[in-house]
Amino acid sequence: MTADAARTELRSIADSLQHYVEILKEGGLGGLPRTLHMSSPQAHPQARPQPPSPAEDRPIASPADIDGQALDSLAALRDAIGDCRRCKLCEHRTQIVFGVGDPHAELVFIGEGPGADEDLRGEPFVGRAGQLLTEIITKGMKMRREEVYIANVVKCRPPHNRNPETDEIAACEPFLRKQIELIQPRIIVALGAFAAQTLLQTKTPISRLRGVWHTYQDTKLMPTLHPAYLLRNPRDKRLVWQDIKAVLREMGRL
Ligand code: SF4
């Protein structure tokens, strides 16, 4: 390729990126999502960003995709996940919501999946339910949000906030398992029926799971009600407080 041709090529790629940024801004986004990448430097001069190919064409992750790799930190795991397209949830997300908090936290909270606010911000539990979770941590437990780790069963937002489907959980759960393996928390709190039932591989209702210690990957797990449920049913906050007190007792903080 000549120098002129290379310059033209670069200019066209820059134009495409600029156009994409404008689309994002119109949609109310302040910047590029972490997952943006260019698929080919040979893009046509008029080419615009293309939607991802159908998920059915892509392989579903097996645990070996991640478990087989010598990953020694959450940052290395996040890099290994990359711009993951292992399940169809990639098609509607803004970005992957990996998790946030102390990489060596004693206590890990696990929810179901990102909602709209989390999808935009790239951080779990930042909407109204997230604010309530933060209050539980800071006011109820007298801990800082940065002291714990917060993640979800699936890392991409299910469209219309539907429950993640079986194939999506199968594709994404290896990431969560690796996260737990790397963090090595003393205690996991599963937030809501979906997270608890998925992690414990049971259909038992949350009303019977909560308040009782279980085990996930050799780690003690306490299921409790989801903060979003508490927003609709504030009277049940007392049940969550019972569960949280059990967690605090186990941690030697009560
Ligand atoms: S939900 Fe998990 S497996 Fe599916 S695309 Fe997102 S990161 Fe990948």
Side-chain angles (χ1 to χ4, degrees), residues 84 86-87 89-90 93 155-156 171-172 175:
C84 179
R86 290 172 176 86
C87 84
L89 290 183
C90 71
R93 73 178 180 219
K155 312 295 184 209
C156 300
C172 210
F175 303 153

Side-chain angles (χ1 to χ4, degrees), residues 226-239:
H226 196 285
Y229 168 86
L230 292 183
L231 290 173
R232 298 189 301 272
N233 302 275
R235 269 189 292 182
D236 282 346
K237 282 183 182 174
R238 65 187 175 80
L239 298 176

Side-chain angles (χ1 to χ4, degrees), residues 5-210:
R7 266 194 294 277
T8 304
E9 184 84 25
L10 279 173
R11 202 173 301 122
S12 74
I13 291 170
D15 286 345
S16 293
L17 274 173
Q18 179 64 34
H19 178 77
Y20 188 51
V21 169
E22 282 164 10
I23 290 172
L24 289 175
K25 283 181 178 166
E26 279 168 23
L29 293 180
L32 290 169
R34 280 184 62 178
T35 50
L36 175 66
H37 69 200
M38 289 183 297
S39 57
S40 166
Q42 278 81 44
H44 186 276
Q46 299 306 316
R48 297 293 182 234
Q50 297 297 307
S53 60
E56 306 83 61
D57 296 344
R58 293 187 290 274
I60 296 295
S62 75
D65 285 355
I66 288 299
D67 289 347
Q69 297 186 42
L71 301 168
D72 59 1
S73 70
L74 289 178
L77 173 62
R78 179 64 192 87
D79 281 350
I81 292 173
D83 184 25
C84 179
R85 298 189 171 278
R86 290 172 176 86
C87 84
K88 57 187 176 296
L89 290 183
C90 71
E91 293 168 12
H92 302 280
R93 73 178 180 219
T94 302
Q95 56 193 318
I96 291 172
V97 182
F98 178 67
V100 70
D102 182 346
H104 306 292
E106 259 191 295
L107 177 62
V108 170
F109 289 91
I110 298 176
E112 172 180 333
D117 294 314
E118 291 76 17
D119 177 64
L120 286 177
R121 295 261 302 271
E123 183 176 332
F125 285 94
V126 290
R128 281 185 66 221
Q131 285 164 18
L132 183 51
L133 176 62
T134 302
E135 280 182 24
I136 290 169
I137 295 167
T138 56
K139 295 182 182 166
M141 306 186 81
K142 308 286 183 234
M143 296 177 74
R144 288 178 298 115
R145 189 174 150 110
E146 299 74 28
E147 273 181 83
V148 305
Y149 195 87
I150 306 172
N152 284 306
V153 172
V154 294
K155 312 295 184 209
C156 300
R157 182 194 181 195
H160 312 298
N161 291 339
R162 66 161 169 75
N163 280 346
E165 294 172 354
T166 308
D167 60 326
E168 296 157 356
I169 296 164
C172 210
E173 208 204 346
F175 303 153
L176 177 63
R177 266 192 280 129
K178 195 70 185 179
Q179 273 176 307
I180 299 297
E181 191 185 310
L182 290 165
I183 297 169
Q184 294 191 317
R186 275 183 59 198
I187 293 169
I188 297 169
V189 174
L191 296 165
F194 183 88
Q197 290 172 343
T198 302
L199 296 178
L200 298 174
Q201 300 194 333
T202 178
K203 297 281 185 206
T204 305
I206 186 68
S207 56
R208 284 178 43 210
L209 291 175
R210 60 147 293 275

